[in-house]
Amino acid sequence: MSEIEIRERRFDAPESQALIRAALADLGARYGGSGDETPVDAAEFTPPDGAFLVAYLDGRPVGCGGWRSHGEDGDTAELKRMYTDPAARGRGVARAVLGAVERSARDHGRKRIVLECGDKQPEAIAMYTSAGYERIPNFGFYKDAPGCLSYGRTL
């Protein structure tokens, strides 16, 4: 089994953007439309206010995820753009990225992490709940959308 390598990358780097486009296409296939209309600015994923991480298997980018500051208190991070290429699924990529994102947020002073996902992402929901995430009141761009599920956990 190949070792997963995770590196911090710019959100707007070509390999990051290729994975993000794939993530949005996956969400679009599940929910319709462009996949996610949430306003996102690449600058939000720049330390110390955020970070974007890319996972590699055999030198090939196969997954990603990032965090950006959330709320006014400076204690909370929001998980965004988690994705694993279908060919790499089932190999621990998503869990490795999630752990790396959580460590990065914690290392930058965040005490809590929150996320939005939808009810048509059962594999994501299963991973988040098994990693200790619990349902919280909906927030963000899709807070009033049918099927929106928000989760959070202490870091």
Side-chain angles (χ1 to χ4, degrees):
M1 182 176 235
S2 298
E3 185 177 327
I4 300 164
E5 181 183 357
I6 298 177
R7 297 183 219 151
E8 191 171 309
R9 293 290 186 238
R10 287 186 348 268
F11 185 88
D12 57 359
E15 60 200 348
S16 301
Q17 285 297 299
L19 289 163
I20 291 166
R21 282 191 301 276
L24 294 175
D26 179 77
L27 291 172
R30 293 172 194 249
Y31 299 103
S34 68
D36 187 354
E37 300 293 326
T38 304
V40 173
D41 180 344
E44 296 174 310
F45 296 88
T46 303
D49 298 318
F52 196 76
L53 305 171
V54 173
Y56 298 82
L57 278 175
D58 299 322
R60 189 174 69 86
V62 295
C64 64
W67 68 273
R68 64 183 181 177
S69 293
H70 177 80
E72 302 298 320
D73 62 9
D75 286 346
T76 305
E78 180 184 8
L79 180 69
K80 292 298 293 177
R81 301 296 184 250
M82 280 287 295
Y83 176 74
T84 302
D85 183 285
R89 291 181 184 164
R91 298 175 70 180
V93 172
R95 283 199 184 272
V97 171
L98 180 62
V101 167
E102 290 173 344
R103 281 189 299 281
S104 173
R106 189 173 36 252
D107 289 349
H108 286 90
R110 301 317 184 271
K111 295 177 176 36
R112 182 160 178 74
I113 190 164
V114 298
L115 65 94
E116 287 183 295
C117 72
D119 61 359
K120 295 179 182 177
Q121 295 168 266
E123 62 274 47
I125 293 165
M127 181 185 70
Y128 295 136
T129 57
S130 72
Y133 286 76
E134 297 177 344
R135 284 293 310 274
I136 61 172
N138 285 347
F139 70 93
F141 190 80
Y142 290 103
K143 71 179 176 191
D144 296 321
C148 177
L149 303 170
S150 294
Y151 292 87
R153 85 178 212 62
T154 301
L155 292 174

